[in-house]
């Protein structure tokens, strides 16, 4: 029996046209859990064949059309809850995250069972795209404004979510910035946010497959942060203070 079984923990992997790395990442994840949910977010490459070949080892969520990472996570969380899981680790399928770090998340949640565990990358390591470092500092700053909390990496997708305590997902966006939205709303609900150091692999620029569109994606992040700052004034900060006050009654 694996540790993930005792915790009612699954791993969620959204994927969009990462056929070159998907099988390797999936097989490495399966070394640590018997419960892997892969979301086919409208892939047009050989992903369906890879998923079919993995057979009953995995659970597949497939809705045909590309809808974005936020929507993929929403459908995966719904499936995880339906299957009775209490926790879900999210990991990317492009090979940047190391499945071998899964035990680090399990150790962290054992110590703080109601926490949201956030992987923190080394943003100074070799081949780290310069844009990633800037985007993370930008995101970290606005996250601190919106919640009063310092986190070293608010843009990582490698996280462990406590499914029972999580707020609803995709209220404002269905794309990859939904992960930031979810982090902010979790902070407003006073869910403990615990950063842990993780490994990350970035191939050379010419070998990298990225779906990031610098102008439009950064524009969407900026719009989202503007909305979240406004919501923070009238909902986020007051609700957080009320929850803290009630917890001390």
């Amino acid at each position: 029996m694996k540790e993930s079984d005792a915790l009612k923990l699954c791993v969620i992997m959204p994927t969009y046209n990462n056929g070159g790395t998907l099988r390797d990442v999936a097989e490495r994840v399966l070394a640590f859990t018997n419960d892997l949910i892969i979301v086919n977010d409208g892939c047009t490459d050989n992903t369906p064949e890879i998923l079919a070949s993995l057979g009953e080892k995995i659970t597949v969520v497939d809705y045909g059309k590309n809808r974005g990472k936020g929507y993929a996570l929403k459908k995966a969380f719904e499936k995880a809850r339906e299957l009775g899981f209490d926790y879900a680790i999210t990991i990317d399928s492009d090979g940047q995250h190391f499945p071998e770090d899964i035990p680090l998340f399990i150790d962290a949640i054992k110590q703080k069972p109601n926490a949201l565990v956030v992987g923190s990358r080394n943003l100074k390591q070799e081949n780290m795209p310069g844009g990633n470092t800037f985007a993370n500092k930008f995101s970290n700053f606005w996250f601190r404004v919106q919640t009063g909390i310092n986190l070293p990496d608010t843009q990582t997708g490698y996280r462990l979510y406590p499914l029972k305590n999580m707020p609803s997902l995709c209220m404002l966006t269905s794309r990859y910035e939904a992960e930031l939205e979810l982090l902010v709303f979790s902070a407003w609900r006073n869910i403990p946010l615990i950063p842990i150091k993780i490994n990350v692999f970035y191939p050379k620029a010419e070998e990298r497959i990225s779906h990031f569109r610098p102008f439009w994606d950064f524009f969407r992040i900026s719009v989202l942060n503007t909305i979240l700052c406004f919501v923070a004034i009238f909902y986020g900060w007051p609700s957080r203070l009320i929850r803290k006050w009630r917890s001390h009654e």
Side-chain angles (χ1 to χ4, degrees):
M1 185 178 186
K2 296 177 180 177
E3 279 192 290
S4 59
D5 297 334
L7 287 170
K8 292 186 178 180
L9 179 148
C10 67
V11 176
I12 288 171
M13 187 190 306
T15 189
Y16 177 61
N17 290 351
N18 285 122
T21 54
L22 176 60
R23 182 187 298 279
D24 175 66
V25 177
E27 290 178 345
R28 288 160 62 196
V29 167
L30 288 167
F32 298 95
T33 180
N34 296 316
D35 302 292
L36 172 59
I37 300 172
I38 300 181
V39 185
N40 178 2
D41 186 26
C43 297
T44 57
D45 60 359
N46 63 332
T47 291
E49 290 78 13
I50 295 172
L51 297 180
S53 70
L54 290 169
E56 295 182 356
K57 294 179 181 179
I58 63 171
T59 298
V60 177
V61 175
D62 190 342
Y63 39 78
K65 182 181 178 182
N66 178 251
R67 302 289 295 272
K69 190 175 185 182
Y71 186 84
L73 288 174
K74 178 180 180 179
K75 302 309 287 186
F77 290 144
E78 289 175 357
K79 174 59 73 172
R81 289 190 179 106
E82 176 189 320
L83 295 173
F85 292 107
D86 291 334
Y87 301 100
I89 292 176
T90 57
I91 187 171
D92 292 347
S93 64
D94 59 5
Q96 292 183 10
H97 298 152
F98 285 70
E100 291 74 22
D101 285 340
I102 287 175
L104 301 179
F105 289 88
I106 292 176
D107 288 344
I109 205 64
K110 282 181 175 179
Q111 296 176 37
K112 197 83 170 179
N114 296 317
L116 194 166
V117 185
V118 185
S120 297
R121 301 163 293 175
N122 176 6
L123 296 173
K124 297 180 180 180
Q125 75 172 56
E126 186 179 6
N127 294 330
M128 173 66 71
N132 284 37
T133 303
F134 171 78
N136 197 54
K137 288 181 179 178
F138 179 86
S139 179
N140 291 353
F141 170 78
W142 287 112
F143 180 78
R144 187 164 60 250
V145 170
Q146 293 151 5
T147 67
I149 297 173
N150 285 305
L151 275 183
D153 190 353
T154 55
Q155 295 233 305
T156 178
Y158 205 175
R159 302 174 181 175
L160 187 155
Y161 292 95
L163 294 175
K164 292 181 179 179
N165 298 333
M166 281 170 46
S168 298
L169 184 60
C170 298
M171 291 173 288
L172 303 176
T173 176
S174 64
R175 296 293 169 177
Y176 85 95
E177 64 271 15
E179 290 177 306
L180 175 60
E181 175 192 339
L182 185 53
L183 203 59
V184 171
F185 276 87
S186 296
W188 288 343
R189 291 189 63 171
N190 285 335
I191 295 174
L193 306 179
I194 300 178
I196 63 169
K197 292 182 179 180
I198 58 169
N199 296 295
V200 65
F201 170 73
Y202 280 100
K204 296 178 181 178
E206 62 272 15
E207 300 172 354
R208 189 176 303 129
I209 297 175
S210 176
H211 304 298
F212 184 78
R213 300 172 300 172
F215 175 79
W216 287 112
D217 288 340
F218 190 75
F219 174 76
R220 285 206 319 271
I221 292 172
S222 299
V223 171
L224 176 62
N225 274 310
T226 300
I227 295 172
L228 288 174
C229 285
F230 182 79
V231 177
I233 297 171
F234 297 99
Y235 170 77
W237 279 98
S239 66
R240 191 167 181 227
L241 291 172
I242 290 170
R243 290 175 192 275
K244 279 191 173 181
W245 175 70
R246 285 178 176 174
S247 68
H248 287 93
E249 280 188 328

